[in-house]
Amino acid sequence: MILEKKKIFNDFAASKGLRSTRQRDIILDIFLSTRQHVSVEELYLKIKASNPGIGHATVYRTLKLFSEAGLAREILLHDGQTRYEHAVAGEHHDHLVCTGCNSIIEFEDETIEKLQKDIAARHGFLIKNHKLEIYGLCAACRQ
Amino acid sequence: MILEKKKIFNDFAASKGLRSTRQRDIILDIFLSTRQHVSVEELYLKIKASNPGIGHATVYRTLKLFSEAGLAREILLHDGQTRYEHAVAGEHHDHLVCTGCNSIIEFEDETIEKLQKDIAARHGFLIKNHKLEIYGLCAACRQ
DNA sequence: TATGCTTTTGACATTCATTTTCAGTTAGTT
DNA sequence: AACTAACTGAAAATGAATGTCAAAAGCATA
């Protein structure tokens, strides 16, 4: 699983003429070890703990690359920070975002995905990706 | 339609003890006259054209109020600017966002809305609002 | 209409995430 | 080992959004 993702990134890097660097390896390792939806800052701090040398800009730059490589996906919630979630080719999940405790529940729904394709087709639109976020209160916060 | 929206805002203002000001009237007028999805900056420039006195901060503050009043809804695309769309109570539409020309096509789909409710119910989640954005290329940009 | 109290405003400063710059370092090739 | 282009880190720059605060304006009351 992790090896497979590393391969995906290496293939992407090769196809783009990018070099393999210590920093990118480390950032990928740590990114893969996090749970979903890390903000860049969270990831940066985690990286700095074991690798104080790695700079802010490198983390930003590298996450963008992961995104292009299809390993990560940018998500914007409403807290002013860009977050990244793990992406798996051909798979997609959406989010129930609790505005009470900021927890995120993931779900998948094939019917919704299919309906989206229908709508896109009706408009002659070519889908690259999509995001569906449902905001509200989770079971715990409703009480 | 426009009068109705002004009434909604006036009622909201009254209920919150807010004052009626020239600036808020102007900003509401111009906001209502724009097409969907204005960024704060776009709106600010449009306002400044006819009302040079109105400041940046006031536009930000006022759009937040419209949002609370249910007249506007914040949307975050991927260009680093907060945009506001017109909101109508009880109505909702989603977006096809073209990454080629930045155009936005709106659509509504009741079945998707219903499926979302089912999913939320399954997780004991109380929906406040949601957003669905599909990114890709519009018919014109596919060529 | 004048008075007084409170909200609102606009200019400016500030914050904070993200991007750019650039000189020094490093990967990968010959 | 030498060369070249990509990469990195630190610091500066950018840009959206928010906070500050004195002056202005709304609105209730006399």
Side-chain angles (χ1 to χ4, degrees):
Chain A
M1 171 71 168
I2 285 181
L3 284 176
E4 184 195 317
K5 295 205 167 186
K6 292 192 180 183
K7 181 170 184 327
I8 291 173
F9 184 65
N10 288 337
D11 291 352
F12 169 81
S15 77
K16 292 268 180 179
L18 303 177
R19 291 181 177 169
S20 145
T21 70
R22 194 179 59 88
Q23 287 87 335
R24 288 176 181 163
D25 288 348
I26 292 168
I27 296 174
L28 181 53
D29 269 340
I30 299 187
F31 173 65
L32 293 177
S33 79
T34 60
R35 53 175 185 68
Q36 296 286 343
H37 319 113
V38 236
S39 70
V40 184
E41 188 61 18
E42 283 164 5
L43 193 64
Y44 169 68
L45 290 175
K46 195 159 180 184
I47 288 166
K48 219 174 60 165
S50 47
N51 295 77
I54 293 181
H56 231 126
T58 303
V59 177
Y60 275 97
R61 287 188 281 234
T62 307
L63 284 172
K64 280 230 152 59
L65 289 180
F66 294 168
S67 202
E68 289 175 47
L71 290 175
R73 194 178 291 124
E74 267 187 43
I75 48 181
L76 303 173
L77 306 183
H78 281 84
D79 63 351
Q81 281 193 273
T82 299
R83 294 167 180 280
Y84 285 87
E85 65 174 6
H86 299 182
V88 178
E91 218 182 276
H92 189 82
H93 59 257
D94 295 302
H95 303 114
L96 293 161
V97 182
C98 177
T99 55
C101 62
N102 288 312
S103 64
I104 297 175
I105 302 167
E106 291 170 3
F107 67 89
E108 286 177 60
D109 188 299
E110 286 198 17
T111 316
I112 290 182
E113 306 273 321
K114 178 171 182 325
L115 288 167
Q116 291 181 21
K117 283 179 195 147
D118 293 350
I119 290 162
R122 211 174 302 146
H123 288 87
F125 193 94
L126 175 69
I127 297 184
K128 283 201 208 130
N129 58 67
H130 72 266
K131 75 179 171 200
L132 167 58
E133 279 150 24
I134 301 177
Y135 294 87
L137 293 177
C138 71
C141 288
R142 287 175 79 163
Q143 329 268 357
Chain B
M1 170 70 168
I2 285 182
L3 283 177
E4 184 196 318
K5 295 206 168 188
K6 292 191 179 182
K7 181 170 183 328
I8 291 173
F9 184 64
N10 288 338
D11 291 351
F12 170 81
S15 77
K16 291 269 181 180
L18 302 178
R19 291 180 178 170
S20 146
T21 70
R22 195 179 59 86
Q23 287 85 338
R24 288 178 182 161
D25 288 348
I26 293 169
I27 297 173
L28 182 52
D29 270 340
I30 300 187
F31 174 64
L32 293 177
S33 80
T34 60
R35 53 174 187 66
Q36 295 287 343
H37 318 113
V38 236
S39 69
V40 184
E41 188 60 19
E42 283 164 6
L43 193 62
Y44 169 68
L45 291 175
K46 196 159 180 185
I47 289 165
K48 220 175 60 166
S50 46
N51 296 76
I54 293 182
H56 229 127
T58 302
V59 178
Y60 274 99
R61 288 187 281 234
T62 306
L63 284 172
K64 280 230 151 60
L65 289 180
F66 293 169
S67 202
E68 288 175 48
L71 290 176
R73 195 179 290 123
E74 267 187 44
I75 50 181
L76 304 174
L77 305 182
H78 282 84
D79 62 353
Q81 282 193 272
T82 299
R83 293 168 180 279
Y84 285 87
E85 64 174 5
H86 299 183
V88 178
E91 221 183 274
H92 189 83
H93 59 257
D94 295 303
H95 304 115
L96 293 162
V97 182
C98 176
T99 55
C101 62
N102 288 312
S103 64
I104 296 176
I105 302 167
E106 292 172 3
F107 67 90
E108 285 178 60
D109 189 297
E110 285 197 17
T111 316
I112 290 182
E113 305 274 322
K114 176 168 184 328
L115 288 168
Q116 290 181 22
K117 284 180 194 146
D118 293 349
I119 289 161
R122 210 174 302 145
H123 288 87
F125 193 93
L126 175 69
I127 297 184
K128 284 203 208 129
N129 57 67
H130 73 265
K131 73 179 174 202
L132 168 57
E133 280 150 23
I134 302 178
Y135 294 89
L137 292 177
C138 72
C141 289
R142 286 175 79 163
Q143 329 267 359

